[in-house]
């Protein structure tokens, strides 16, 4: 799939309500989960202890941290959209985020994105992007919500 190219506020505004596309799949390995646990100091057994998770977890295996699944948003977003002509891009917020299903180790996920709203804030573009992180083979997404970017386009 080719990326959607956006070079200005006007181009982004025309996409309000549009489905932008779907990223490639990303697989969460135990190694990645463990590295995230080390980086965040969150070593809860449900993420890092495969043996205990198999016998005591309601999921039957370790699961990716919820914040790990959020942290790959920029990577997956950049597979869908190529925003050009920028001075700067800022991750501004996450709204209406709801976790719906756990992401088990070795599961594959992909991002589905659409433009919900775009506003011009005195020359800075505020873009609200609807997101859904789909889990391969699961009817329930890992989460749904909205990410907010601030784009400072060149004049």
């Amino acid at each position: 799939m080719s990326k959607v190219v956006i070079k200005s506020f006007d181009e982004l505004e025309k996409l309000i309500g549009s489905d932008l596309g779907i990223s490639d799949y990303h697989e969460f390995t135990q190694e990645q989960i463990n590295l995230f646990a080390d980086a965040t100091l969150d070593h809860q057994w449900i993420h890092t202890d495969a043996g205990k998770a198999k016998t005591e977890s309601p999921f039957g295996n370790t699961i990716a941290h919820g914040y790990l699944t959020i942290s790959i948003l920029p990577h997956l977003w950049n597979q869908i959209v190529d925003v050009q002509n920028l001075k700067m891009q800022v991750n501004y917020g996450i709204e209406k985020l709801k976790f719906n299903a756990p992401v088990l180790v070795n599961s594959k996920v992909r991002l589905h994105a659409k433009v919900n709203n775009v506003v011009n804030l005195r020359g800075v573009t505020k873009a609200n992007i609807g997101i859904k992180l789909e889990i391969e083979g699961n009817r329930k997404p890992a989460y749904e919500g909205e990410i907010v970017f601030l784009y400072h386009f060149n004049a």
Side-chain angles (χ1 to χ4, degrees), residues 79-97:
Q79 292 178 15
I80 299 169
V81 176
D82 181 10
V83 183
Q84 300 177 358
N85 190 34
L86 285 177
K87 293 180 201 174
M88 181 173 56
Q89 171 184 336
V90 176
N91 296 324
Y92 190 63
I94 300 174
E95 299 179 357
K96 305 173 192 167
L97 183 74

Side-chain angles (χ1 to χ4, degrees), residues 115-129:
V115 179
N116 287 346
N117 195 29
V118 177
V119 178
N120 184 339
L121 304 174
R122 295 182 311 246
V124 176
T125 301
K126 178 182 170 194
N128 290 58
I129 308 298

Side-chain angles (χ1 to χ4, degrees), residues 51-112:
K52 187 172 182 177
K54 282 186 176 142
T55 60
E56 297 184 33
S57 165
F59 311 115
N61 213 332
T62 56
I63 60 172
H65 301 72
Y67 290 119
L68 171 56
T69 66
I70 292 170
S71 72
I72 65 158
L73 278 171
H75 169 70
L76 300 175
W77 171 248
N78 288 332
Q79 292 178 15
I80 299 169
V81 176
D82 181 10
V83 183
Q84 300 177 358
N85 190 34
L86 285 177
K87 293 180 201 174
M88 181 173 56
Q89 171 184 336
V90 176
N91 296 324
Y92 190 63
I94 300 174
E95 299 179 357
K96 305 173 192 167
L97 183 74
K98 180 171 181 178
F99 291 103
N100 299 312
V103 178
L104 276 64
V105 66
N106 300 321
S107 291
K108 294 180 182 178
V109 299
R110 65 183 183 179
L111 181 66
H112 189 163

